[in-house]
C-alpha cells in the first residue's frame, strides 16, 4: 500500500516519466503473457527485467521474484510486478553495464586478438566462470549474437546489442 502511494506521489510530480515507465514495463511484460491474462511465468521475470535495461545479480533477481510471485504458484501478475519494477527503474537500482566495459570484457577473453570468439569458447567462459549463465540464458544470448554461418561471435558488433546506455535517460 505504501509503495502504491509513493508511486502515486512521484507520479504527481513526474507524471509523464512514470507513465512512460509504466508503458515500458507493461509492453515488456505482455511480450511474455502468452495467455493474455496479465500473468507471466515467474521464470520469465529475469528476461523482462534485463529487457528493461536493468542488470541485477542472480540474488537480486531471486529477491524480486520472491517479492512479486503469487505465493509459490510460479506466476507473476502485472498488477504486482508493475509497482515493484517502477520503483526499481525510478531508483536506477540496477544500472546497465557501460558499453566500454562489455567491449573490454570481450577483449580480455579474446587472447589472440581475433575480434571474435567461437561459440564453444564463449559458452565455456559464460557458464563456468564468475556468476554463471544458465543454459537458457546462454541460448538466448547466442541467438542474438552468434553469426550462424561461421559459429562466431564478433564482439565489436555485439556490444551495441548488449549495452543499454541511455535506456532510462
Amino acid at each position: 500500500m505504501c509503495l502504491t502511494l509513493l508511486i502515486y506521489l512521484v507520479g504527481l510530480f513526474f507524471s509523464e516519466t512514470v507513465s512512460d515507465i509504466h508503458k515500458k514495463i507493461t509492453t515488456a511484460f505482455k511480450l511474455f503473457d502468452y495467455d493474455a491474462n496479465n500473468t507471466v511465468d515467474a521464470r520469465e521475470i529475469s528476461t523482462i527485467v534485463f529487457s528493461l535495461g536493468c542488470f541485477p545479480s542472480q540474488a537480486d533477481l531471486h529477491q524480486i521474484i520472491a517479492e512479486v510471485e503469487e505465493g509459490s504458484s510460479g506466476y507473476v501478475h502485472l498488477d504486482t510486478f508493475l509497482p515493484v519494477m517502477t520503483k526499481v527503474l525510478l531508483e536506477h537500482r540496477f544500472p546497465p553495464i557501460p558499453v566500454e566495459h562489455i567491449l573490454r570484457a570481450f577483449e580480455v577473453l579474446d587472447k589472440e586478438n581475433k575480434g571474435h570468439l567461437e561459440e564453444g569458447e564463449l559458452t565455456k567462459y559464460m557458464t563456468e566462470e564468475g556468476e554463471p549463465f544458465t543454459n537458457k540464458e546462454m541460448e538466448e544470448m547466442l541467438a542474438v549474437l552468434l553469426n550462424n554461418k561461421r559459429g562466431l561471435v564478433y564482439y565489436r558488433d555485439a556490444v551495441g546489442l548488449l549495452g543499454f546506455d541511455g535506456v532510462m535517460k
Side-chain angles (χ1 to χ4, degrees):
M1 185 66 150
C2 290
L3 180 60
T4 306
L5 179 60
L6 173 66
I7 290 171
Y8 173 74
L9 292 173
V10 169
L12 290 176
F13 296 103
F14 307 101
S15 60
E16 189 172 84
T17 304
V18 171
S19 175
D20 290 343
I21 290 171
H22 282 184
K23 286 177 190 171
K24 286 179 184 180
I25 295 168
T26 302
T27 299
F29 190 93
K30 288 189 180 271
L31 289 173
F32 297 92
D33 180 10
Y34 304 117
D35 295 330
N37 62 358
N38 287 333
T39 304
V40 299
D41 187 308
R43 294 173 293 190
E44 302 290 2
I45 294 300
S46 62
T47 305
I48 295 168
V49 170
F50 293 148
S51 76
L52 292 166
C54 295
F55 297 91
S57 67
Q58 288 299 312
D60 289 328
L61 272 173
H62 290 299
Q63 188 175 18
I64 291 170
I65 292 167
E67 189 174 346
V68 298
E69 185 178 5
E70 296 176 9
S72 296
S73 68
Y75 293 96
V76 174
H77 196 275
L78 178 60
D79 290 342
T80 307
F81 183 69
L82 187 63
V84 172
M85 198 63 213
T86 300
K87 185 173 188 243
V88 166
L89 291 174
L90 285 173
E91 293 175 353
H92 304 283
R93 224 187 313 171
F94 307 112
I97 301 165
V99 172
E100 305 80 43
H101 292 184
I102 296 170
L103 180 60
R104 182 67 187 125
F106 276 113
E107 290 171 343
V108 167
L109 298 177
D110 180 14
K111 294 176 182 11
E112 297 173 20
N113 258 350
K114 302 174 289 192
H116 66 271
L117 296 169
E118 295 176 15
E119 177 181 1
E121 181 181 22
L122 183 60
T123 299
K124 182 180 184 296
Y125 288 129
M126 300 304 286
T127 58
E128 296 177 10
E129 304 290 329
E131 191 171 318
F133 277 40
T134 64
N135 287 336
K136 182 183 179 204
E137 291 169 330
M138 199 65 225
E139 288 171 12
E140 290 173 355
M141 186 172 96
L142 287 173
V144 173
L145 302 182
L146 189 64
N147 178 315
N148 288 325
K149 293 178 183 173
R150 296 193 173 153
L152 302 173
V153 174
Y154 292 94
Y155 56 82
R156 283 180 179 39
D157 297 334
V159 293
L161 299 171
L162 294 173
F164 284 85
D165 288 343
V167 168
M168 289 304 302
K169 286 185 181 176

